[in-house]
Amino acid sequence: MASSGARLARLYISCTGVILRRSISHVGMDDMGISMSRSCLERLEFDNVALKKLPLDPSTEPGVRQVRGACFSRVQPTPLKNPKFVAVSGPALGLLGLDADEVLKDPLGPEYLSGSKVMSGSEPAAHCYCGHQFGQFAGQLGDGAACYLGEVKAPVDQSPELLHENPTGRWEIQVKGAGLTPYSRQADGRKVLRSSIREFLCSEAVFGLGIPTTRAGSVVTSDSRVMRDIYYDGNPRMERCSVVLRIAPSFIRFGSFEIFKRADEFTGRQGPSYGHDEIRTQMLDYVIETFYPEIHQNHSDRIERNTAFFREVTVRTARLVAQWQCVGFCHGVLNTDNMSILGLTLDYGPFGFMDRFDPDFICNASDTSGRYSYQAQPAICRWNLARLAEALVPDLPSEQAEEVLDEYLPLYNGFYLSNMRKKLGLLRTEEPEDEMLITEFMQTMHNTGADFTNTFRSLSQISCPTLQEGEDESEAIKQATELLLQQCASLEELKAANRPTMDPRELAMLLSMAQSNPALFQMISDRKTVARQLDRLSRLKELMDTTAEQLRAKQTEDWSSWIKKYRQRLARECESGVDMKDLQNERVHVMNNNNPYVVLRNYIAQNAIEAAENGDFSEVQRVLKVLEKPFSVQQGLENPGWVGRGEAADSGERDETGEEGNTSGAEARVIVPYDSKPPVWANEICVT
């Protein structure tokens, strides 16, 4: 009996203990809010100030429409089918106080960061803006695929440097590719894997280069599909819907202020909020008070304050485009709706980092006129600033705006020269002749077809003259020339690069039309485009009459001539009696921290995209690691981990939709290091 009673007692205690433990656990979850069981993303604290300070569209009507008298429209992101992470950026997520590993392990992570599930405190909305596209006012544009989720409070321990860049203490987060909004026009509000990977990688690559930019926290793909005609050639295919998480203090842009524009004299279009001048003033006040607090505090007079604001936007824009030019970055679509009011690189579409240096480099195959070519970027940014100034009248009087715009070119030149001196290792003195030395360097790169990134990187290997007796100057010049010749294009590469992009019959027709019917010619083409084609023809003819040996001799002569001038300039760096070893070490350090070892070349991005489209996300993650430290060689990360192996194509395997993997020409590829000049197959890449 005793033993039986004891067993019953132990059983009772055991059972009641279980009941008590369950009860305590239940109370803890419901009433104590134990965060351990919550998604880390559910702990984000939102403070959506933009939606409080700027007018919201009262309509909840679904579908595309004109939105009048509002800066934002509430939207509902469209969920993805089986969303999953492709990659996340630890440094970008860190802005929100998130840990990358924790986010990756979070089963709800892909849903929250694709907009498929809405976080507590998030208020999804789409921003209304207009824009001048390729020089013409397009009327209402807006967030056709992007969705504002809200503004996340920065962690209390965020670095002072970041808080200086973003004085609000909040980070706006967006999901791009989350479905239809009132601004989707004829599109479906979706983005696909290739464009999402490009935006994700380039956002972080540009940040790694030290250039102001919006950030990308993650890229999510899914089993949802949309039809896309990649090359607009009538051969569409189904692609995976994917979403990028974008992060910035704000995504307000020049075009945000163009929603108040009167009917354009050329296109006849007007901004949807024309006549609502009070909203323009309200938005201007919001932008200055929130993102330019020092200007707001230092100017009691509104006109002076607004002029100071426009001057600061001008300074930031000039600095930004100078930084782009110095790393060979071409944005591709510099419309006013793609220009950040904060001076950030915004909206990564058909961007490109130059390979072979060409001032006429056009990264966007759709830009047939070359409006947004590499060499046009500084002038286009000034043009866009002028459109912003027009949009701010009368809050910003035209006279004050013109005075500020006159400062733009000197500002740009100053930033450009300062950056270029660092890239050439001219650190101790600034000489008037430096500008000509830089210009001749760029011209020599162009004449010889030299690789932009690698040629600049090689300059740190050219040492200062020692001025010691017995130094063989001719031998030093010869060695430096041989170093740079390694980056020059071959005869066949130059022939391919200089072939006209226009059909000869079309060119002949335009030339005839320019003579016989100038008015019609102006409607369908322009003299600059035709002149560029004629220059290509002339250069090609010259190359057809040149042998490989003659070309190499000319390249040698060109580089030897420039290097001689460069070393003479370097010698003057040493005239102040400085220690030669210290000077050389300083030069190498500064140059190697301003001339990247690697940039996101199109072939690197394309290789990662093809791997991901074949189900292997490791190359995207690997490229991200490389681009986080673009100025240094990272041991073990010199080469791609996936190089178009083409197994699916070889074996005839297909994915679950019956589509063949995208392995175009993959089986013929060889491993090319990330810092290499582009392989032959890269010439086939077309970005629109």
Side-chain angles (χ1 to χ4, degrees):
M1 289 289 296
S3 59
S4 176
R7 284 196 300 273
L8 286 171
R10 285 195 296 272
L11 180 60
Y12 174 79
I13 292 169
S14 175
C15 289
T16 54
V18 170
I19 292 170
L20 284 170
R21 282 196 295 274
R22 286 178 179 167
S23 175
I24 290 169
S25 175
H26 180 73
V27 169
M29 285 295 293
D30 287 356
D31 300 329
M32 297 174 63
I34 295 175
S35 61
M36 292 300 291
S37 61
R38 294 170 61 189
S39 162
C40 60
L41 294 160
E42 292 171 357
R43 299 197 295 269
L44 293 178
E45 189 176 353
F46 285 86
D47 183 12
N48 306 324
V49 175
L51 301 189
K52 300 171 187 174
K53 294 288 186 75
L54 298 174
L56 260 170
D57 176 14
S59 173
T60 56
E61 176 189 347
V64 175
R65 63 182 186 275
Q66 285 284 300
V67 175
R68 295 178 173 83
C71 299
F72 286 92
S73 301
R74 292 197 185 278
V75 297
Q76 194 60 42
T78 307
L80 294 173
K81 180 182 177 183
N82 298 328
K84 54 188 173 184
F85 282 123
V86 174
V88 303
S89 166
L93 290 177
L95 298 173
L96 310 178
L98 294 170
D99 177 77
D101 289 335
E102 192 176 0
V103 170
L104 283 169
K105 292 173 184 175
D106 188 340
L108 295 177
E111 291 185 77
Y112 279 133
L113 296 188
S114 65
S116 300
K117 191 176 179 68
V118 178
M119 291 171 271
S120 176
S122 171
E123 298 181 78
H127 180 41
C128 182
Y129 53 82
C130 291
H132 280 79
Q133 299 195 319
F134 287 87
Q136 302 296 318
F137 185 65
Q140 177 178 292
L141 299 170
D143 286 335
C147 174
Y148 164 104
L149 292 182
E151 297 160 59
V152 175
K153 288 186 177 180
V156 292
D157 59 348
Q158 193 135 94
S159 72
E161 182 182 348
L162 283 173
L163 290 174
H164 176 72
E165 294 176 13
N166 177 15
T168 68
R170 300 181 307 277
W171 293 96
E172 179 180 329
I173 59 173
Q174 279 190 351
V175 279
K176 185 173 180 179
L180 286 169
T181 78
Y183 313 105
S184 295
R185 291 172 281 168
Q186 289 79 38
D188 53 24
R190 289 301 195 189
K191 296 297 177 182
V192 296
L193 187 56
R194 55 190 163 83
S195 61
S196 299
I197 287 174
R198 281 175 58 85
E199 171 138 14
F200 172 75
L201 288 176
C202 200
S203 299
E204 295 306 281
V206 169
F207 175 77
L209 291 168
I211 300 173
T213 177
T214 59
R215 304 293 300 279
S218 64
V219 58
V220 171
T221 194
S222 70
D223 292 336
S224 301
R225 306 269 173 162
V226 287
M227 186 75 77
R228 291 289 186 269
D229 186 347
I230 305 175
Y231 302 115
Y232 305 104
D233 60 359
N235 294 300
R237 67 182 176 94
M238 297 298 290
E239 297 191 62
R240 293 183 184 275
C241 295
S242 304
V243 172
V244 176
L245 177 76
R246 307 202 299 181
I247 306 168
S250 174
F251 287 86
I252 291 177
R253 53 208 63 209
F254 290 10
S256 302
F257 290 94
E258 292 188 295
I259 65 173
F260 314 103
K261 179 176 170 57
R262 68 172 64 246
D264 185 76
E265 61 179 308
F266 298 109
T267 66
R269 300 187 183 99
Q270 70 177 32
S273 292
Y274 171 63
H276 290 270
D277 291 352
E278 75 285 355
I279 298 178
R280 183 195 57 237
T281 301
Q282 182 181 352
M283 181 157 59
L284 183 59
D285 288 346
Y286 165 73
V287 168
I288 296 174
E289 292 171 14
T290 307
F291 305 106
Y292 295 88
E294 291 183 3
I295 289 174
H296 177 67
Q297 292 162 9
N298 293 339
H299 298 277
S300 56
D301 180 85
R302 288 185 61 83
I303 298 300
E304 289 180 2
R305 182 202 69 165
N306 296 347
T307 303
F309 157 72
F310 184 63
R311 177 173 283 109
E312 179 60 22
V313 174
T314 299
V315 169
R316 293 188 186 193
T317 302
R319 182 188 296 119
L320 177 69
V321 69
Q323 289 176 287
W324 290 347
Q325 300 301 96
C326 288
V327 294
F329 175 78
C330 205
H331 183 281
V333 201
L334 278 178
N335 302 325
T336 56
D337 53 290
N338 293 332
M339 297 286 294
S340 164
I341 204 70
L342 304 181
L344 307 174
T345 312
L346 173 68
D347 285 351
Y348 292 90
F351 66 84
F353 283 90
M354 255 194 297
D355 296 316
R356 176 185 53 81
F357 177 65
D358 179 0
D360 288 324
F361 172 65
I362 301 169
C363 60
N364 178 2
S366 304
D367 182 12
T368 54
S369 69
R371 177 180 176 84
Y372 298 139
S373 68
Y374 168 81
Q375 69 174 351
Q377 290 187 136
I380 285 295
C381 285
R382 187 200 180 280
W383 191 91
N384 288 339
L385 283 163
R387 303 292 77 75
L388 172 62
E390 289 174 359
L392 295 176
V393 173
D395 291 294
L396 175 68
S398 299
E399 300 77 24
Q400 278 85 344
E402 282 300 325
E403 289 177 7
V404 174
L405 286 170
D406 287 343
E407 300 170 11
Y408 173 82
L409 190 57
L411 281 168
Y412 166 77
N413 285 335
F415 290 131
Y416 180 80
L417 281 172
S418 176
N419 291 340
M420 279 294 181
R421 283 192 175 101
K422 293 174 187 173
K423 292 174 76 69
L424 268 65
L426 308 178
L427 311 180
R428 298 302 173 102
T429 60
E430 295 183 4
E431 299 186 3
E433 294 80 8
D434 291 348
E435 187 171 355
M436 181 55 68
L437 183 71
I438 293 164
T439 300
E440 290 177 354
F441 174 71
M442 305 299 277
Q443 186 62 54
T444 305
M445 277 206 298
H446 185 213
N447 292 345
T448 62
D451 185 86
F452 185 96
T453 300
N454 291 356
T455 303
F456 269 110
R457 182 75 177 191
S458 298
L459 291 180
S460 65
Q461 298 178 53
I462 301 176
S463 60
C464 287
T466 62
L467 303 179
Q468 293 179 358
E469 201 171 323
E471 182 183 30
D472 190 338
E473 179 65 12
S474 61
E475 182 61 27
I477 291 174
K478 180 182 177 183
Q479 290 179 6
T481 300
E482 290 173 352
L483 175 71
L484 299 188
L485 283 173
Q486 295 173 25
Q487 303 303 330
C488 294
S490 67
L491 180 59
E492 292 307 312
E493 287 171 337
L494 286 175
K495 286 179 181 177
N498 283 280
R499 287 194 179 93
T501 56
M502 189 181 290
D503 186 282
R505 292 166 296 183
E506 181 184 358
L507 181 58
M509 180 197 71
L510 288 173
L511 288 170
S512 174
M513 188 183 298
Q515 297 294 323
S516 62
N517 195 338
L520 181 59
F521 171 78
Q522 286 297 112
M523 290 174 63
I524 63 176
S525 187
D526 61 87
R527 295 189 180 278
K528 186 184 292 185
T529 300
V530 172
R532 189 161 53 243
Q533 296 298 318
L534 291 174
D535 286 344
R536 282 174 171 266
L537 269 176
S538 175
R539 177 71 171 139
L540 180 61
K541 183 179 183 303
E542 183 182 322
L543 289 166
M544 296 298 286
D545 296 333
T546 303
T547 66
E549 292 74 19
Q550 289 171 329
L551 175 67
R552 182 46 58 110
K554 182 67 169 66
Q555 290 172 333
T556 301
E557 179 185 348
D558 287 350
W559 277 120
S560 296
S561 174
W562 183 82
I563 289 167
K564 182 177 180 180
K565 296 175 185 176
Y566 181 48
R567 282 177 59 83
Q568 289 171 350
R569 173 63 180 86
L570 290 178
R572 294 196 291 277
E573 289 278 294
C574 314
E575 289 175 355
S576 55
V578 297
D579 182 273
M580 288 298 299
K581 185 176 181 181
D582 289 345
L583 175 61
Q584 183 61 17
N585 288 340
E586 182 186 3
R587 282 188 66 250
V588 170
H589 176 76
V590 170
M591 293 172 77
N592 285 350
N593 280 283
N594 282 275
N595 294 317
Y597 157 78
V598 63
V599 293
L600 183 61
R601 298 175 189 259
N602 271 338
Y603 81 88
I604 295 176
Q606 185 62 24
N607 192 54
I609 288 165
E610 292 185 12
E613 288 181 333
N614 281 273
D616 185 348
F617 302 149
S618 64
E619 184 61 17
V620 177
Q621 297 157 7
R622 185 180 182 88
V623 170
L624 177 64
K625 286 182 182 178
V626 172
L627 297 174
E628 285 175 350
K629 298 179 179 179
F631 297 102
S632 58
V633 182
Q634 300 181 62
Q635 296 300 318
L637 291 176
E638 298 91 347
N639 297 309
W642 193 99
V643 190
R645 300 187 184 101
E647 292 93 335
D650 290 342
S651 62
E653 293 178 6
R654 297 170 181 263
D655 68 11
E656 65 273 21
T657 65
E659 297 178 84
E660 290 187 6
N662 182 9
T663 54
S664 56
E667 53 274 11
R669 297 183 190 174
V670 294
I671 291 179
V672 177
Y674 291 125
D675 67 333
S676 172
K677 291 165 59 180
V680 174
W681 63 264
N683 295 328
E684 301 170 9
I685 298 172
C686 176
V687 183
T688 60

